[in-house]
Amino acid sequence: MMNFSKYLRFAVVGACALAACKGGPPTATKPGKYSSTTGIEYNTEEGMKVSDYQGIPDGPGLVFIEGGRTVLGSAEEDIAMTHDNLERTVTLASFYMDEAEVANIHWLEYLHYVRKDSSEEFYQSALPDTTVWARELSFNDPYVDYYLRYPGFRYFPVVGVSWLQANDYCTWRTAKVNERLAGESDEGDGGGSSKGGGLFGRKKNKGGDAAEGTSEGGGTKIAIENGNTLPNYRLPTEAEWEYAAQALIGTQETGNENQENKRIYPWDGRQVRNPYGKNMGQFLANFKRGRGDYAGIAGSLNDGAMITEYIYNYPPNDYGLYNMSGNVNEWVQDIYRPLSYEDVEDLNPFRRNGFLDPSEKYDKKGYQSLIDDHVRVYKGGSWRDVAYWLSPGTRRFMAEDSATATIGFRCAMINAGSNK
C-alpha cells in the first residue's frame, strides 16, 4: 500500500499538472514532466517513457500540401464521353508529396540496395521494362539501352515501371529513410537539408530508443511513439494527386473562403503557354502539340523535349510541385471504376478493392470490358499526350502489372500528428 507522504506528493503534483500551473496546458511537443491524469512522473523507472518531440521530421524530397475543401472532377469538355469524373465537393487533409517525379538516378539507387540486400529474383523483378521504348516503326533503340542508365538521363523521370513496382519502391524508401533516422536519432544534425525538405534540415526529435524489438520479418521494428521516424512513403490517392495538381491556393483571395476561380490546368488561364514576362509564349508543360509535333522546329524548340524532360524543368505550380501536367503520367493508389465520383466518401476519398461496384459487373472474360480489381488510375498527361490530358480532372487506367514509356510516379505521405 502506498504510504501517506508518497500519496500526498502524487496528489500535489497531479493537481499542479491538471491545473496546468506552469506554461499552460500540455501539448504534443510540451507534454510536461508529469502525467496530467495520474500525476506520475514520466521517464522514470515507474513512469512511462515520453520522448522529446518537435514535430514530424522532414522527409527528403517532400513538400507540404495544405489540405482543405475543393471541387474535384473534370473541368474540360468530356471529349472521350467517359463521364467518369463528374464534379463533386470534397475535403482533403493536409499531406506531403514529392516535389518532382521519381527519376532514373533514384531508381538506380533503389536497384543498388536491392541487389545488396535482397534476392536475385527480387532484383530482377525490380528492373524497369526498358523495352517500352521499342517501336516496330520507330528508331527508338538508343532509349532502350541508354535511357535508364546513361548519366545524362539521371534526372529524367523513370519509366517502364508498373504500379506494383512503384509500390515496392515506396516500401523500400520508407524503410531506408527510417533506417537512417533511427541510426542518427541520438546524434547531432547529421546531414543538411536538401531542396524541398532535408532529412534533418528543420526538426530533430531526441530521446528514447528509435528501435524497439523485431518485426515479423526479422528486421528492426520502429517505435512509432518516439516520433523519430516518418510515416510510410506511398503513392498518392487520386483525390490527393488531383488536389495537389489544382494548387488553388494561388487563386485564393485573403480573407475570402469562397473559391472564385478554378483552373483548367495547374496554372492560371485556359492556355498552355506562359502569358507573362520574358518567357511569354513558352509552353508550360511537356506534351504533344499535335500529330507529329512533339517539340517545335529546329532553332525554336518551344517545349524543348521530344520525349521526357528534366524533372525540374517548367515552372512549378503554387504548391511548388514540378510537372504535375506533362512529362510523364503518374500512377496513383486507386483502382479504376467509372463511378468512383459517386461511390467514395467526401472526406479523403479513396477507391480501394472490394467495396461497391464489384468487378463481376464488368465482362472482362468476354472481352466487353477492361475493368477488374487489378487496373489502376494514372493521371497528368505525358510527353506523348495532347493537351486535353494535362487537365488534373482527366483520368485513365491500366493494369497494375503493366508499364509504358509514358507513365512514372511520385510519392506522398500523410501529415502525421495533425488534424489539418
Side-chain angles (χ1 to χ4, degrees), residues 402-414:
S402 298
T404 78
T406 63
I407 301 180
F409 72 101
R410 72 181 75 210
C411 301
M413 180 185 292
I414 64 168

Side-chain angles (χ1 to χ4, degrees), residues 194-210:
S194 62
K195 184 178 181 181
L199 194 56
F200 301 109
R202 181 172 59 88
K203 299 171 182 172
K204 183 73 176 175
N205 299 321
K206 299 178 181 179
D209 297 327

Side-chain angles (χ1 to χ4, degrees), residues 214-221:
T214 56
S215 65
E216 293 180 1
T220 301
K221 182 180 179 181

Side-chain angles (χ1 to χ4, degrees), residues 57-378:
D58 288 331
L62 299 176
V63 296
F64 179 70
I65 309 298
E66 183 181 13
R69 182 195 69 212
T70 191
V71 177
L72 298 181
S74 180
E76 277 279 39
E77 182 182 358
D78 190 2
I79 59 175
M81 300 296 287
T82 53
H83 304 297
D84 65 351
N85 202 21
L86 302 186
E87 293 186 340
R88 71 277 188 198
T89 301
V90 302
T91 294
L92 277 296
S94 299
F95 58 100
Y96 294 89
M97 180 177 275
D98 277 340
E99 64 178 352
E101 295 143 343
V102 173
N104 287 321
I105 191 170
H106 305 135
W107 200 268
L108 290 174
E109 179 188 26
Y110 170 51
L111 294 177
H112 167 77
Y113 285 105
V114 166
R115 172 152 263 178
K116 286 177 58 178
D117 303 333
S118 303
S119 66
E120 181 64 20
E121 181 182 8
F122 185 77
Y123 172 78
Q124 292 296 325
S125 74
L127 292 171
D129 181 7
T130 59
T131 65
V132 294
W133 290 106
R135 309 283 291 184
E136 290 82 355
L137 300 179
S138 294
F139 185 66
N140 291 339
D141 305 42
Y143 300 133
V144 175
D145 296 327
Y146 286 91
Y147 180 80
L148 174 64
R149 299 181 183 276
Y150 189 73
F153 289 122
R154 280 174 177 166
Y155 284 93
F156 282 48
V158 66
V159 297
V161 172
S162 70
W163 183 93
L164 295 173
Q165 288 175 309
N167 268 274
D168 287 340
Y169 174 87
C170 293
T171 301
W172 168 84
R173 185 176 175 184
T174 301
K176 210 64 184 173
V177 171
N178 281 334
E179 178 183 300
R180 181 182 174 190
L181 281 166
E184 300 185 9
S185 62
D186 293 323
E187 298 176 6
D189 285 342
S193 62
S194 62
K195 184 178 181 181
L199 194 56
F200 301 109
R202 181 172 59 88
K203 299 171 182 172
K204 183 73 176 175
N205 299 321
K206 299 178 181 179
D209 297 327
E212 186 176 277
T214 56
S215 65
E216 293 180 1
T220 301
K221 182 180 179 181
I222 302 299
I224 296 175
E225 294 86 351
N226 293 321
N228 284 319
T229 57
L230 288 166
N232 292 339
Y233 285 89
R234 56 176 173 78
L235 292 177
T237 67
E238 181 178 5
E240 287 175 335
W241 192 99
E242 189 171 331
Y243 177 84
Q246 290 176 351
L248 292 176
I249 56 170
T251 67
Q252 188 69 44
E253 295 184 11
T254 304
N256 184 354
E257 195 178 351
N258 293 324
Q259 192 69 59
E260 298 177 351
N261 298 293
K262 186 172 182 180
R263 289 170 165 164
I264 302 298
Y265 304 109
W267 52 82
D268 290 341
R270 302 189 64 86
Q271 69 281 345
V272 293
R273 296 175 184 265
N274 193 329
Y276 308 113
K278 64 179 182 180
N279 294 320
M280 182 182 296
Q282 295 296 306
F283 280 106
L284 293 166
N286 174 22
F287 65 102
K288 184 177 180 180
R289 293 152 45 166
R291 184 171 179 80
D293 187 358
Y294 290 84
I297 62 174
S300 183
L301 295 175
N302 198 314
D303 73 18
M306 284 72 166
I307 55 166
T308 55
E309 178 58 284
Y310 176 53
I311 59 174
Y312 292 106
N313 205 6
Y314 310 103
N317 71 6
D318 286 312
Y319 276 126
L321 303 173
Y322 291 83
N323 290 296
M324 291 300 284
S325 282
N327 212 22
V328 289
N329 291 285
E330 297 178 16
W331 289 114
V332 297
Q333 278 200 53
D334 300 50
I335 65 166
Y336 176 81
R337 288 293 188 275
L339 298 179
S340 287
Y341 67 90
E342 67 177 30
D343 287 342
V344 295
E345 299 277 355
D346 60 0
L347 174 63
N348 298 322
F350 170 56
R351 186 96 213 193
R352 66 179 82 233
N353 288 347
F355 296 93
L356 301 178
D357 204 7
S359 60
E360 290 76 17
K361 291 174 56 178
Y362 300 91
D363 185 15
K364 189 169 185 178
K365 291 183 179 180
Y367 303 101
Q368 301 301 307
S369 175
L370 296 173
I371 299 173
D372 61 15
D373 286 340
H374 300 284
V375 292
R376 302 286 173 169
V377 177
Y378 65 90

